[in-house]
């Protein structure tokens, strides 16, 4: 299978921070601000959704590496936006650059790698 995803593909996802997205709820902290694991999940979702239209039927992607900095806290009720850019396509390996920001400015950035998989074959190996 040859992957036909052009480098430069962009993605964008938004959410409004709810209590379910906080460090207190995730257990990753004690305060009710946007949790780092929630930001990572939004970043992964942004990357996944950006390339889904280019994947053959029965294929998806899985995250394999995350290298991010969460630089600023975001309170409940504020909108968070994540933008991704596909920097590199190396056969099945996809490398993305990420930027996350809230209504006041940047809250995180980094890189993320995903691999294209045949979903059925992937699940059969588990």
């Amino acid at each position: 299978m040859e992957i036909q995803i052009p480098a430069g593909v962009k993605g964008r996802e938004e959410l409004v921070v709810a209590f379910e997205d906080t460090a207190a709820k995730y257990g990753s902290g004690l305060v009710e601000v946007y949790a780092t694991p929630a930001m990572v999940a939004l970043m992964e979702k942004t990357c996944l959704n950006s390339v889904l239209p280019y994947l053959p039927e029965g294929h998806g992607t899985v995250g394999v590496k995350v290298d991010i900095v969460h630089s600023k806290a975001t309170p409940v009720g504020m909108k968070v936006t994540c933008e991704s850019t596909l920097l590199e396509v190396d056969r099945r390996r996809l490398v993305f650059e990420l930027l996350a920001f809230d209504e006041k400015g940047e809250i995180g950035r980094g890189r993320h790698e995903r691999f294209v998989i045949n979903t059925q074959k992937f699940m059969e190996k588990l």
Side-chain angles (χ1 to χ4, degrees):
M1 170 197 64
E2 186 176 329
I3 305 302
Q4 297 292 325
I5 306 171
V9 167
K10 296 193 179 294
R12 182 182 177 99
E13 296 287 334
E14 297 178 343
L15 62 74
V16 174
V17 177
F19 175 73
E20 292 74 27
D21 304 312
T22 65
K25 177 67 175 180
Y26 267 80
S28 63
L30 301 176
V31 291
E32 293 181 12
V33 295
Y34 192 45
T36 301
M39 185 178 76
V40 170
L42 180 63
M43 289 174 159
E44 289 204 52
K45 177 182 179 183
T46 304
C47 295
L48 168 65
N49 286 342
S50 75
V51 297
L52 277 179
Y54 298 94
L55 298 178
E57 179 94 18
H59 286 73
T61 67
V62 292
V64 297
K65 183 177 181 181
V66 179
D67 182 11
I68 62 103
V69 173
H70 189 176
S71 56
K72 184 178 170 295
T74 302
V76 171
M78 190 172 280
K79 182 172 71 172
V80 171
T81 303
C82 180
E83 296 177 345
S84 67
T85 303
L86 180 59
L87 296 178
E88 180 183 345
V89 179
D90 180 12
R91 292 173 288 176
R92 296 184 310 119
R93 185 174 71 92
L94 309 174
V95 180
F96 297 87
E97 183 174 62
L98 297 154
L99 176 63
F101 51 94
D102 64 20
E103 297 166 36
K104 292 185 176 181
E106 182 177 316
I107 64 168
R109 66 173 47 239
R111 288 199 175 199
H112 177 46
E113 290 186 23
R114 301 186 71 79
F115 270 82
V116 176
I117 60 160
N118 176 307
T119 305
Q120 181 177 345
K121 288 180 181 179
F122 180 85
M123 294 305 293
E124 288 172 354
K125 292 179 181 178
L126 300 181

